[in-house]
Amino acid sequence: MKHRPMHKKLPLMSAKDLDLFKYLGVPKTEEQCFHAIHSDYKRRNEAVCPHAPLGLTPVQGAKPGTGKSIRYIDALILFRKGERWAVEIKVTKQDLVQELRRPEKTALWREHTHAFYYAIPAPLVEWALDNIPQGIGVMVCSDQSTHIVRRARKNKTPAEIPYSTWRRIAGRLGDMHAKKGESHA
């Protein structure tokens, strides 16, 4: 990886805002980050699917027919205007480092969505901006809210998501809705 100069200024978020995010609470789990993403985008009337599956072709080294032939993304945001964003959540530097060593893990989602983001807690922002390749967006999460720190480069012509994948996504959204209903009963 090329060494990039340290970022003096955060592109879309001030240092004061970043401090506020630290004050709001640093998420310790993927679930806390997902909850923040889901809350923010639901408020904007967008759909957020957890652990969205994509892919029918075997991943290198996977046995055909195994779950490894499918790539999952932590959050798939579906916008009313037809755009879709893939968001991979990383709450530790170690987990993010491992992910960045294997760019093929995110390639399928980058190909099929309009934008790809990493969602991370505030303490990782500076390191992430220096190490996540240009073109990939960075979203900071508190345990209550999210904010885009660096916008993703738009994929203006993403590949179509297969019908079978849309069926699985619809099932996950339905399951999430059913679980929410059970908790209120």
Side-chain angles (χ1 to χ4, degrees), residues 45-182:
N45 288 323
E46 311 300 354
V48 182
C49 180
H51 301 287
L54 176 65
L56 301 171
T57 58
V59 174
Q60 186 178 8
K63 294 178 184 171
T66 67
K68 291 184 180 178
S69 64
I70 297 172
R71 290 280 186 214
Y72 291 87
I73 194 71
D74 294 322
L76 178 63
I77 304 172
L78 303 170
F79 290 87
R80 287 175 284 148
K81 293 182 179 180
E83 232 178 71
R84 50 192 183 262
W85 291 2
V87 181
E88 185 66 20
I89 299 169
K90 298 297 172 193
V91 293
T92 67
K93 182 178 175 183
Q94 180 182 356
D95 196 16
L96 183 56
V97 167
Q98 291 297 328
E99 182 81 10
L100 294 175
R101 287 183 182 154
R102 300 197 49 212
E104 71 278 2
K105 288 180 69 179
T106 61
L108 188 63
W109 278 104
R110 290 181 74 193
E111 178 185 333
H112 284 81
T113 57
H114 295 88
F116 186 91
Y117 283 86
Y118 279 109
I120 58 171
L124 295 180
V125 168
E126 194 166 337
W127 186 90
L129 290 173
D130 287 338
N131 290 281
I132 292 176
Q134 290 298 317
I136 296 176
V138 178
M139 180 184 295
V140 66
C141 294
S142 74
D143 52 5
Q144 301 171 30
S145 186
T146 62
H147 190 82
I148 293 175
V149 178
R150 180 175 75 197
R151 294 209 182 279
R153 184 177 305 125
K154 292 283 175 146
N155 177 358
K156 293 178 183 173
T157 56
E160 286 298 317
I161 291 182
Y163 176 75
S164 58
T165 297
W166 283 120
R167 285 181 48 91
R168 289 194 305 263
I169 289 170
R172 286 191 181 275
L173 288 170
D175 291 346
M176 192 169 96
H177 181 70
K179 285 179 186 174
K180 185 177 178 182
E182 290 170 5

Side-chain angles (χ1 to χ4, degrees), residues 16-45:
K16 183 179 177 181
D17 291 337
L18 187 57
D19 286 341
L20 175 63
F21 262 73
K22 290 177 186 175
Y23 174 76
L24 289 174
V26 176
K28 295 186 178 29
T29 66
E30 177 186 309
E31 188 175 324
Q32 289 172 326
C33 269
F34 178 82
H35 178 72
I37 294 165
H38 184 262
S39 294
D40 272 358
Y41 286 89
K42 181 181 173 189
R43 222 175 296 131
R44 301 173 197 173
N45 288 323

